[in-house]
Amino acid sequence: MKSAIVIGCAACVWDDVQVARSLASYDAIYCVKQIGVYYPEKFDVWVTLHPEVMDDYEAERHAKGLPNGYEIVAPPKHELSASHVGKGNITRRVPYRWPGVDSNASASSGIYGAKVALHDGFDRIVLAGIPMTPEGGHFKPESKNTFGAIRGKVWSQHSAFVCGLNESIPRLKGKVKSMSGYTRQMLVTPTSEWLRA
């Protein structure tokens, strides 16, 4: 079994990471969107549904003097809206749509991170900072989102992604578990025994 932790951007992220890391060490670390700017250690994969912001995010991480050595993964250009294609130093492309699913619904960048980890062959994946709840907020609530709006303490785009999450649950169950929120309710909490199984 190969394990990975996928680290999202919710307000609970640092608490989730601390508890998740107390359960096990992981074969790979996946950072999602803006958390990759601030994650203090080396990580393996930087995942995004917004390649148009990745050049700026990389520059911010570099300015902080934090380790590089990651690859950046985003969906193929034909799966992105024109405003999301942007530039970005994208290392490889992995679809956000599940095979055989006609829906265009996305389940958020965090769940896309889990999908990429599954694609990469991991079968024990822990979500940290990906509760998928409106009150989950953002770890930097004063920052601007990709549309230039202040994020706030409530995740205002929650309802736009729940449909995609619910469609993804059957493909995630058994291999993906979560530290918090709605994703924990649907996928259950990981244990050290499960991670070692």
mmCIF file of all heavy atoms in Angstrom, residues 20-67:
data_model
loop_
_atom_site.group_PDB
_atom_site.id
_atom_site.type_symbol
_atom_site.label_atom_id
_atom_site.label_comp_id
_atom_site.label_asym_id
_atom_site.label_seq_id
_atom_site.Cartn_x
_atom_site.Cartn_y
_atom_site.Cartn_z
ATOM 1 N N ALA A 20 -3.099 14.293 11.148
ATOM 2 C CA ALA A 20 -2.834 13.299 10.093
ATOM 3 C C ALA A 20 -1.397 12.809 10.163
ATOM 4 O O ALA A 20 -1.122 11.614 9.994
ATOM 5 C CB ALA A 20 -3.130 13.895 8.721
ATOM 6 N N ARG A 21 -0.477 13.711 10.429
ATOM 7 C CA ARG A 21 0.941 13.319 10.497
ATOM 8 C C ARG A 21 1.241 12.521 11.759
ATOM 9 O O ARG A 21 2.230 11.790 11.805
ATOM 10 C CB ARG A 21 1.835 14.537 10.365
ATOM 11 C CG ARG A 21 1.730 15.102 8.925
ATOM 12 C CD ARG A 21 2.659 16.213 8.674
ATOM 13 N NE ARG A 21 4.013 15.660 8.563
ATOM 14 C CZ ARG A 21 5.059 16.378 8.191
ATOM 15 N NH1 ARG A 21 4.917 17.641 7.881
ATOM 16 N NH2 ARG A 21 6.251 15.833 8.119
ATOM 17 N N SER A 22 0.404 12.640 12.786
ATOM 18 C CA SER A 22 0.598 11.823 13.988
ATOM 19 C C SER A 22 0.168 10.370 13.748
ATOM 20 O O SER A 22 0.572 9.470 14.485
ATOM 21 C CB SER A 22 -0.183 12.402 15.177
ATOM 22 O OG SER A 22 -1.567 12.159 15.043
ATOM 23 N N LEU A 23 -0.631 10.145 12.702
ATOM 24 C CA LEU A 23 -1.103 8.792 12.384
ATOM 25 C C LEU A 23 -0.063 7.981 11.620
ATOM 26 O O LEU A 23 -0.003 6.762 11.765
ATOM 27 C CB LEU A 23 -2.380 8.859 11.536
ATOM 28 C CG LEU A 23 -3.603 9.501 12.162
ATOM 29 C CD1 LEU A 23 -4.731 9.592 11.136
ATOM 30 C CD2 LEU A 23 -4.056 8.717 13.385
ATOM 31 N N ALA A 24 0.711 8.656 10.777
ATOM 32 C CA ALA A 24 1.633 7.931 9.897
ATOM 33 C C ALA A 24 2.565 8.910 9.200
ATOM 34 O O ALA A 24 2.325 10.117 9.181
ATOM 35 C CB ALA A 24 0.838 7.154 8.839
ATOM 36 N N SER A 25 3.602 8.361 8.595
ATOM 37 C CA SER A 25 4.368 9.135 7.624
ATOM 38 C C SER A 25 3.815 8.742 6.252
ATOM 39 O O SER A 25 3.260 7.651 6.097
ATOM 40 C CB SER A 25 5.861 8.834 7.725
ATOM 41 O OG SER A 25 6.096 7.465 7.554
ATOM 42 N N TYR A 26 3.958 9.616 5.277
ATOM 43 C CA TYR A 26 3.320 9.408 3.983
ATOM 44 C C TYR A 26 4.370 9.275 2.893
ATOM 45 O O TYR A 26 5.424 9.897 2.954
ATOM 46 C CB TYR A 26 2.356 10.563 3.687
ATOM 47 C CG TYR A 26 1.232 10.614 4.703
ATOM 48 C CD1 TYR A 26 1.371 11.325 5.892
ATOM 49 C CD2 TYR A 26 0.062 9.909 4.485
ATOM 50 C CE1 TYR A 26 0.352 11.343 6.840
ATOM 51 C CE2 TYR A 26 -0.964 9.925 5.435
ATOM 52 C CZ TYR A 26 -0.803 10.640 6.607
ATOM 53 O OH TYR A 26 -1.804 10.639 7.536
ATOM 54 N N ASP A 27 4.034 8.487 1.886
ATOM 55 C CA ASP A 27 4.936 8.292 0.761
ATOM 56 C C ASP A 27 5.008 9.532 -0.127
ATOM 57 O O ASP A 27 6.004 9.725 -0.832
ATOM 58 C CB ASP A 27 4.493 7.082 -0.073
ATOM 59 C CG ASP A 27 4.557 5.798 0.738
ATOM 60 O OD1 ASP A 27 5.623 5.512 1.308
ATOM 61 O OD2 ASP A 27 3.536 5.092 0.807
ATOM 62 N N ALA A 28 3.963 10.351 -0.105
ATOM 63 C CA ALA A 28 3.950 11.565 -0.927
ATOM 64 C C ALA A 28 3.054 12.615 -0.288
ATOM 65 O O ALA A 28 2.087 12.292 0.406
ATOM 66 C CB ALA A 28 3.464 11.259 -2.344
ATOM 67 N N ILE A 29 3.400 13.874 -0.547
ATOM 68 C CA ILE A 29 2.617 15.016 -0.071
ATOM 69 C C ILE A 29 2.146 15.793 -1.297
ATOM 70 O O ILE A 29 2.944 16.168 -2.153
ATOM 71 C CB ILE A 29 3.461 15.926 0.830
ATOM 72 C CG1 ILE A 29 3.926 15.153 2.074
ATOM 73 C CG2 ILE A 29 2.673 17.175 1.226
ATOM 74 C CD1 ILE A 29 4.946 15.896 2.909
ATOM 75 N N TYR A 30 0.830 16.011 -1.353
ATOM 76 C CA TYR A 30 0.198 16.794 -2.416
ATOM 77 C C TYR A 30 -0.327 18.081 -1.790
ATOM 78 O O TYR A 30 -1.092 18.034 -0.828
ATOM 79 C CB TYR A 30 -0.978 16.038 -3.032
ATOM 80 C CG TYR A 30 -0.599 14.860 -3.895
ATOM 81 C CD1 TYR A 30 0.054 13.741 -3.370
ATOM 82 C CD2 TYR A 30 -0.902 14.855 -5.251
ATOM 83 C CE1 TYR A 30 0.400 12.655 -4.163
ATOM 84 C CE2 TYR A 30 -0.566 13.770 -6.058
ATOM 85 C CZ TYR A 30 0.084 12.680 -5.509
ATOM 86 O OH TYR A 30 0.426 11.613 -6.300
ATOM 87 N N CYS A 31 0.060 19.222 -2.321
ATOM 88 C CA CYS A 31 -0.475 20.499 -1.869
ATOM 89 C C CYS A 31 -1.449 21.026 -2.923
ATOM 90 O O CYS A 31 -1.235 20.853 -4.121
ATOM 91 C CB CYS A 31 0.644 21.506 -1.641
ATOM 92 S SG CYS A 31 1.572 21.203 -0.135
ATOM 93 N N VAL A 32 -2.493 21.667 -2.447
ATOM 94 C CA VAL A 32 -3.553 22.163 -3.320
ATOM 95 C C VAL A 32 -3.541 23.690 -3.319
ATOM 96 O O VAL A 32 -3.583 24.324 -2.263
ATOM 97 C CB VAL A 32 -4.925 21.638 -2.846
ATOM 98 C CG1 VAL A 32 -6.050 22.211 -3.699
ATOM 99 C CG2 VAL A 32 -4.956 20.114 -2.865
ATOM 100 N N LYS A 33 -3.467 24.238 -4.501
ATOM 101 C CA LYS A 33 -3.553 25.685 -4.714
ATOM 102 C C LYS A 33 -2.683 26.480 -3.743
ATOM 103 O O LYS A 33 -1.501 26.231 -3.598
ATOM 104 C CB LYS A 33 -5.014 26.140 -4.688
ATOM 105 C CG LYS A 33 -5.787 25.681 -5.892
ATOM 106 C CD LYS A 33 -7.167 26.263 -6.097
ATOM 107 C CE LYS A 33 -7.790 26.997 -4.964
ATOM 108 N NZ LYS A 33 -9.152 27.431 -5.223
ATOM 109 N N GLN A 34 -3.296 27.424 -3.025
ATOM 110 C CA GLN A 34 -2.544 28.411 -2.258
ATOM 111 C C GLN A 34 -1.757 27.817 -1.092
ATOM 112 O O GLN A 34 -0.754 28.391 -0.663
ATOM 113 C CB GLN A 34 -3.479 29.510 -1.759
ATOM 114 C CG GLN A 34 -2.750 30.750 -1.296
ATOM 115 C CD GLN A 34 -3.689 31.854 -0.908
ATOM 116 O OE1 GLN A 34 -4.870 31.634 -0.639
ATOM 117 N NE2 GLN A 34 -3.187 33.072 -0.871
ATOM 118 N N ILE A 35 -2.154 26.659 -0.584
ATOM 119 C CA ILE A 35 -1.401 26.085 0.542
ATOM 120 C C ILE A 35 0.034 25.772 0.110
ATOM 121 O O ILE A 35 0.957 25.793 0.939
ATOM 122 C CB ILE A 35 -2.104 24.841 1.133
ATOM 123 C CG1 ILE A 35 -1.592 24.555 2.556
ATOM 124 C CG2 ILE A 35 -1.924 23.619 0.261
ATOM 125 C CD1 ILE A 35 -1.976 25.580 3.571
ATOM 126 N N GLY A 36 0.245 25.530 -1.176
ATOM 127 C CA GLY A 36 1.589 25.279 -1.666
ATOM 128 C C GLY A 36 2.525 26.465 -1.514
ATOM 129 O O GLY A 36 3.744 26.300 -1.487
ATOM 130 N N VAL A 37 1.977 27.657 -1.393
ATOM 131 C CA VAL A 37 2.798 28.846 -1.160
ATOM 132 C C VAL A 37 3.367 28.815 0.258
ATOM 133 O O VAL A 37 4.485 29.248 0.501
ATOM 134 C CB VAL A 37 1.968 30.135 -1.359
ATOM 135 C CG1 VAL A 37 2.774 31.373 -0.979
ATOM 136 C CG2 VAL A 37 1.449 30.237 -2.781
ATOM 137 N N TYR A 38 2.599 28.253 1.204
ATOM 138 C CA TYR A 38 2.932 28.365 2.623
ATOM 139 C C TYR A 38 3.392 27.070 3.274
ATOM 140 O O TYR A 38 3.905 27.108 4.389
ATOM 141 C CB TYR A 38 1.703 28.886 3.391
ATOM 142 C CG TYR A 38 1.333 30.278 2.970
ATOM 143 C CD1 TYR A 38 0.429 30.490 1.938
ATOM 144 C CD2 TYR A 38 1.917 31.385 3.580
ATOM 145 C CE1 TYR A 38 0.105 31.778 1.524
ATOM 146 C CE2 TYR A 38 1.601 32.667 3.175
ATOM 147 C CZ TYR A 38 0.694 32.858 2.149
ATOM 148 O OH TYR A 38 0.385 34.127 1.745
ATOM 149 N N TYR A 39 3.200 25.923 2.619
ATOM 150 C CA TYR A 39 3.603 24.678 3.257
ATOM 151 C C TYR A 39 5.114 24.725 3.482
ATOM 152 O O TYR A 39 5.887 24.881 2.533
ATOM 153 C CB TYR A 39 3.215 23.467 2.401
ATOM 154 C CG TYR A 39 3.403 22.168 3.133
ATOM 155 C CD1 TYR A 39 2.539 21.801 4.156
ATOM 156 C CD2 TYR A 39 4.475 21.332 2.838
ATOM 157 C CE1 TYR A 39 2.718 20.620 4.848
ATOM 158 C CE2 TYR A 39 4.668 20.153 3.532
ATOM 159 C CZ TYR A 39 3.791 19.801 4.539
ATOM 160 O OH TYR A 39 3.981 18.638 5.231
ATOM 161 N N PRO A 40 5.577 24.580 4.731
ATOM 162 C CA PRO A 40 6.973 24.904 5.033
ATOM 163 C C PRO A 40 8.007 23.875 4.593
ATOM 164 O O PRO A 40 9.190 24.191 4.533
ATOM 165 C CB PRO A 40 6.976 25.030 6.564
ATOM 166 C CG PRO A 40 5.832 24.175 7.015
ATOM 167 C CD PRO A 40 4.799 24.280 5.938
ATOM 168 N N GLU A 41 7.574 22.675 4.287
ATOM 169 C CA GLU A 41 8.511 21.612 3.947
ATOM 170 C C GLU A 41 8.457 21.300 2.452
ATOM 171 O O GLU A 41 7.591 21.771 1.737
ATOM 172 C CB GLU A 41 8.173 20.355 4.753
ATOM 173 C CG GLU A 41 8.248 20.575 6.254
ATOM 174 C CD GLU A 41 7.692 19.405 7.033
ATOM 175 O OE1 GLU A 41 7.626 18.281 6.484
ATOM 176 O OE2 GLU A 41 7.320 19.614 8.198
ATOM 177 N N LYS A 42 9.373 20.452 2.041
ATOM 178 C CA LYS A 42 9.340 19.970 0.657
ATOM 179 C C LYS A 42 8.089 19.134 0.466
ATOM 180 O O LYS A 42 7.670 18.405 1.359
ATOM 181 C CB LYS A 42 10.588 19.124 0.382
ATOM 182 C CG LYS A 42 10.690 18.647 -1.056
ATOM 183 C CD LYS A 42 11.918 17.781 -1.256
ATOM 184 C CE LYS A 42 12.074 17.350 -2.699
ATOM 185 N NZ LYS A 42 10.907 16.779 -3.326
ATOM 186 N N PHE A 43 7.458 19.241 -0.700
ATOM 187 C CA PHE A 43 6.337 18.379 -1.054
ATOM 188 C C PHE A 43 6.513 17.905 -2.488
ATOM 189 O O PHE A 43 7.394 18.371 -3.208
ATOM 190 C CB PHE A 43 4.986 19.066 -0.814
ATOM 191 C CG PHE A 43 4.770 20.337 -1.600
ATOM 192 C CD1 PHE A 43 4.182 20.309 -2.855
ATOM 193 C CD2 PHE A 43 5.146 21.567 -1.077
ATOM 194 C CE1 PHE A 43 3.968 21.473 -3.578
ATOM 195 C CE2 PHE A 43 4.941 22.743 -1.788
ATOM 196 C CZ PHE A 43 4.350 22.691 -3.042
ATOM 197 N N ASP A 44 5.673 16.966 -2.899
ATOM 198 C CA ASP A 44 5.898 16.278 -4.164
ATOM 199 C C ASP A 44 5.095 16.823 -5.339
ATOM 200 O O ASP A 44 5.616 16.937 -6.444
ATOM 201 C CB ASP A 44 5.584 14.782 -3.989
ATOM 202 C CG ASP A 44 6.419 14.187 -2.869
ATOM 203 O OD1 ASP A 44 7.622 13.991 -3.090
ATOM 204 O OD2 ASP A 44 5.875 13.949 -1.772
ATOM 205 N N VAL A 45 3.815 17.116 -5.107
ATOM 206 C CA VAL A 45 2.924 17.503 -6.199
ATOM 207 C C VAL A 45 2.106 18.719 -5.763
ATOM 208 O O VAL A 45 1.563 18.753 -4.660
ATOM 209 C CB VAL A 45 1.974 16.335 -6.582
ATOM 210 C CG1 VAL A 45 1.043 16.739 -7.721
ATOM 211 C CG2 VAL A 45 2.770 15.089 -6.956
ATOM 212 N N TRP A 46 2.025 19.696 -6.668
ATOM 213 C CA TRP A 46 1.218 20.899 -6.436
ATOM 214 C C TRP A 46 0.065 20.814 -7.435
ATOM 215 O O TRP A 46 0.277 20.855 -8.647
ATOM 216 C CB TRP A 46 2.063 22.134 -6.675
ATOM 217 C CG TRP A 46 1.563 23.390 -6.037
ATOM 218 C CD1 TRP A 46 0.309 23.658 -5.566
ATOM 219 C CD2 TRP A 46 2.330 24.579 -5.799
ATOM 220 N NE1 TRP A 46 0.241 24.929 -5.052
ATOM 221 C CE2 TRP A 46 1.475 25.507 -5.180
ATOM 222 C CE3 TRP A 46 3.655 24.940 -6.069
ATOM 223 C CZ2 TRP A 46 1.898 26.791 -4.816
ATOM 224 C CZ3 TRP A 46 4.077 26.216 -5.701
ATOM 225 C CH2 TRP A 46 3.207 27.129 -5.083
ATOM 226 N N VAL A 47 -1.147 20.694 -6.910
ATOM 227 C CA VAL A 47 -2.328 20.436 -7.729
ATOM 228 C C VAL A 47 -3.201 21.687 -7.800
ATOM 229 O O VAL A 47 -3.397 22.371 -6.793
ATOM 230 C CB VAL A 47 -3.154 19.268 -7.125
ATOM 231 C CG1 VAL A 47 -4.388 18.980 -7.958
ATOM 232 C CG2 VAL A 47 -2.297 18.030 -6.994
ATOM 233 N N THR A 48 -3.759 21.953 -8.983
ATOM 234 C CA THR A 48 -4.623 23.124 -9.122
ATOM 235 C C THR A 48 -5.636 22.947 -10.242
ATOM 236 O O THR A 48 -5.356 22.298 -11.256
ATOM 237 C CB THR A 48 -3.783 24.389 -9.376
ATOM 238 O OG1 THR A 48 -4.653 25.530 -9.357
ATOM 239 C CG2 THR A 48 -3.045 24.320 -10.715
ATOM 240 N N LEU A 49 -6.791 23.530 -10.054
ATOM 241 C CA LEU A 49 -7.766 23.717 -11.138
ATOM 242 C C LEU A 49 -7.620 25.120 -11.723
ATOM 243 O O LEU A 49 -8.378 25.507 -12.602
ATOM 244 C CB LEU A 49 -9.193 23.526 -10.618
ATOM 245 C CG LEU A 49 -9.587 22.110 -10.191
ATOM 246 C CD1 LEU A 49 -10.996 22.094 -9.598
ATOM 247 C CD2 LEU A 49 -9.477 21.137 -11.348
ATOM 248 N N HIS A 50 -6.647 25.879 -11.225
ATOM 249 C CA HIS A 50 -6.446 27.272 -11.635
ATOM 250 C C HIS A 50 -4.997 27.511 -12.060
ATOM 251 O O HIS A 50 -4.246 28.219 -11.381
ATOM 252 C CB HIS A 50 -6.811 28.217 -10.482
ATOM 253 C CG HIS A 50 -8.256 28.192 -10.128
ATOM 254 N ND1 HIS A 50 -9.185 28.949 -10.793
ATOM 255 C CD2 HIS A 50 -8.929 27.481 -9.197
ATOM 256 C CE1 HIS A 50 -10.379 28.721 -10.274
ATOM 257 N NE2 HIS A 50 -10.250 27.830 -9.311
ATOM 258 N N PRO A 51 -4.583 26.966 -13.192
ATOM 259 C CA PRO A 51 -3.195 27.181 -13.618
ATOM 260 C C PRO A 51 -2.856 28.641 -13.874
ATOM 261 O O PRO A 51 -1.682 29.019 -13.846
ATOM 262 C CB PRO A 51 -3.071 26.344 -14.891
ATOM 263 C CG PRO A 51 -4.449 26.015 -15.314
ATOM 264 C CD PRO A 51 -5.307 26.071 -14.101
ATOM 265 N N GLU A 52 -3.875 29.475 -14.063
ATOM 266 C CA GLU A 52 -3.615 30.884 -14.360
ATOM 267 C C GLU A 52 -2.958 31.624 -13.189
ATOM 268 O O GLU A 52 -2.385 32.686 -13.378
ATOM 269 C CB GLU A 52 -4.905 31.598 -14.788
ATOM 270 C CG GLU A 52 -5.902 31.888 -13.676
ATOM 271 C CD GLU A 52 -6.800 30.724 -13.286
ATOM 272 O OE1 GLU A 52 -6.555 29.590 -13.736
ATOM 273 O OE2 GLU A 52 -7.772 30.952 -12.536
ATOM 274 N N VAL A 53 -3.036 31.072 -11.974
ATOM 275 C CA VAL A 53 -2.415 31.742 -10.819
ATOM 276 C C VAL A 53 -1.102 31.100 -10.392
ATOM 277 O O VAL A 53 -0.419 31.609 -9.499
ATOM 278 C CB VAL A 53 -3.380 31.792 -9.610
ATOM 279 C CG1 VAL A 53 -4.630 32.586 -9.942
ATOM 280 C CG2 VAL A 53 -3.715 30.398 -9.118
ATOM 281 N N MET A 54 -0.720 30.010 -11.017
ATOM 282 C CA MET A 54 0.414 29.245 -10.509
ATOM 283 C C MET A 54 1.754 29.963 -10.651
ATOM 284 O O MET A 54 2.629 29.799 -9.805
ATOM 285 C CB MET A 54 0.469 27.867 -11.159
ATOM 286 C CG MET A 54 -0.669 26.954 -10.725
ATOM 287 S SD MET A 54 -0.854 26.786 -8.930
ATOM 288 C CE MET A 54 0.673 25.955 -8.502
ATOM 289 N N ASP A 55 1.940 30.764 -11.681
ATOM 290 C CA ASP A 55 3.193 31.512 -11.787
ATOM 291 C C ASP A 55 3.355 32.438 -10.577
ATOM 292 O O ASP A 55 4.433 32.523 -9.978
ATOM 293 C CB ASP A 55 3.232 32.335 -13.077
ATOM 294 C CG ASP A 55 3.457 31.473 -14.312
ATOM 295 O OD1 ASP A 55 3.835 30.293 -14.170
ATOM 296 O OD2 ASP A 55 3.261 31.989 -15.424
ATOM 297 N N ASP A 56 2.270 33.121 -10.199
ATOM 298 C CA ASP A 56 2.320 34.012 -9.033
ATOM 299 C C ASP A 56 2.559 33.216 -7.753
ATOM 300 O O ASP A 56 3.351 33.622 -6.897
ATOM 301 C CB ASP A 56 1.026 34.821 -8.916
ATOM 302 C CG ASP A 56 0.871 35.829 -10.038
ATOM 303 O OD1 ASP A 56 1.884 36.184 -10.685
ATOM 304 O OD2 ASP A 56 -0.271 36.260 -10.285
ATOM 305 N N TYR A 57 1.865 32.095 -7.606
ATOM 306 C CA TYR A 57 2.042 31.267 -6.399
ATOM 307 C C TYR A 57 3.477 30.753 -6.293
ATOM 308 O O TYR A 57 4.073 30.757 -5.224
ATOM 309 C CB TYR A 57 1.071 30.093 -6.402
ATOM 310 C CG TYR A 57 -0.363 30.436 -6.045
ATOM 311 C CD1 TYR A 57 -1.340 29.450 -6.080
ATOM 312 C CD2 TYR A 57 -0.753 31.719 -5.675
ATOM 313 C CE1 TYR A 57 -2.658 29.732 -5.746
ATOM 314 C CE2 TYR A 57 -2.068 32.008 -5.346
ATOM 315 C CZ TYR A 57 -3.020 31.008 -5.378
ATOM 316 O OH TYR A 57 -4.323 31.282 -5.050
ATOM 317 N N GLU A 58 4.030 30.301 -7.410
ATOM 318 C CA GLU A 58 5.417 29.823 -7.383
ATOM 319 C C GLU A 58 6.376 30.945 -6.989
ATOM 320 O O GLU A 58 7.312 30.727 -6.220
ATOM 321 C CB GLU A 58 5.817 29.269 -8.741
ATOM 322 C CG GLU A 58 5.411 27.841 -8.967
ATOM 323 C CD GLU A 58 6.252 27.211 -10.060
ATOM 324 O OE1 GLU A 58 6.000 27.520 -11.237
ATOM 325 O OE2 GLU A 58 7.151 26.421 -9.718
ATOM 326 N N ALA A 59 6.148 32.139 -7.517
ATOM 327 C CA ALA A 59 7.010 33.276 -7.189
ATOM 328 C C ALA A 59 6.923 33.603 -5.696
ATOM 329 O O ALA A 59 7.940 33.897 -5.053
ATOM 330 C CB ALA A 59 6.621 34.495 -8.028
ATOM 331 N N GLU A 60 5.710 33.525 -5.134
ATOM 332 C CA GLU A 60 5.533 33.777 -3.697
ATOM 333 C C GLU A 60 6.292 32.741 -2.868
ATOM 334 O O GLU A 60 6.961 33.080 -1.886
ATOM 335 C CB GLU A 60 4.057 33.751 -3.323
ATOM 336 C CG GLU A 60 3.259 34.955 -3.766
ATOM 337 C CD GLU A 60 1.819 34.852 -3.298
ATOM 338 O OE1 GLU A 60 1.584 34.783 -2.073
ATOM 339 O OE2 GLU A 60 0.921 34.822 -4.167
ATOM 340 N N ARG A 61 6.176 31.473 -3.258
ATOM 341 C CA ARG A 61 6.883 30.421 -2.512
ATOM 342 C C ARG A 61 8.393 30.635 -2.608
ATOM 343 O O ARG A 61 9.105 30.522 -1.602
ATOM 344 C CB ARG A 61 6.493 29.037 -3.033
ATOM 345 C CG ARG A 61 7.165 27.913 -2.247
ATOM 346 C CD ARG A 61 6.646 26.527 -2.627
ATOM 347 N NE ARG A 61 7.346 25.511 -1.870
ATOM 348 C CZ ARG A 61 7.059 25.124 -0.624
ATOM 349 N NH1 ARG A 61 6.055 25.695 0.024
ATOM 350 N NH2 ARG A 61 7.762 24.189 -0.004
ATOM 351 N N HIS A 62 8.861 30.950 -3.800
ATOM 352 C CA HIS A 62 10.291 31.189 -3.994
ATOM 353 C C HIS A 62 10.768 32.362 -3.136
ATOM 354 O O HIS A 62 11.841 32.298 -2.521
ATOM 355 C CB HIS A 62 10.579 31.441 -5.473
ATOM 356 C CG HIS A 62 12.022 31.699 -5.754
ATOM 357 N ND1 HIS A 62 12.972 30.703 -5.737
ATOM 358 C CD2 HIS A 62 12.674 32.853 -6.037
ATOM 359 C CE1 HIS A 62 14.162 31.229 -5.995
ATOM 360 N NE2 HIS A 62 14.001 32.525 -6.189
ATOM 361 N N ALA A 63 9.970 33.434 -3.073
ATOM 362 C CA ALA A 63 10.334 34.611 -2.288
ATOM 363 C C ALA A 63 10.430 34.284 -0.802
ATOM 364 O O ALA A 63 11.195 34.925 -0.066
ATOM 365 C CB ALA A 63 9.323 35.740 -2.520
ATOM 366 N N LYS A 64 9.692 33.295 -0.348
ATOM 367 C CA LYS A 64 9.741 32.879 1.061
ATOM 368 C C LYS A 64 10.946 31.972 1.329
ATOM 369 O O LYS A 64 11.193 31.606 2.477
ATOM 370 C CB LYS A 64 8.451 32.148 1.441
ATOM 371 C CG LYS A 64 7.216 33.021 1.446
ATOM 372 C CD LYS A 64 5.989 32.192 1.779
ATOM 373 C CE LYS A 64 4.731 33.039 1.718
ATOM 374 N NZ LYS A 64 4.766 34.220 2.553
ATOM 375 N N GLY A 65 11.644 31.567 0.281
ATOM 376 C CA GLY A 65 12.808 30.711 0.453
ATOM 377 C C GLY A 65 12.459 29.270 0.786
ATOM 378 O O GLY A 65 13.284 28.545 1.345
ATOM 379 N N LEU A 66 11.261 28.848 0.414
ATOM 380 C CA LEU A 66 10.821 27.483 0.738
ATOM 381 C C LEU A 66 11.261 26.502 -0.345
ATOM 382 O O LEU A 66 11.478 26.887 -1.496
ATOM 383 C CB LEU A 66 9.298 27.468 0.905
ATOM 384 C CG LEU A 66 8.789 28.306 2.087
ATOM 385 C CD1 LEU A 66 7.268 28.394 2.080
ATOM 386 C CD2 LEU A 66 9.291 27.734 3.409
ATOM 387 N N PRO A 67 11.398 25.219 0.015
ATOM 388 C CA PRO A 67 11.931 24.231 -0.936
ATOM 389 C C PRO A 67 11.065 24.077 -2.184
ATOM 390 O O PRO A 67 9.841 24.207 -2.128
ATOM 391 C CB PRO A 67 11.927 22.922 -0.134
ATOM 392 C CG PRO A 67 11.725 23.298 1.287
ATOM 393 C CD PRO A 67 11.088 24.640 1.312
#
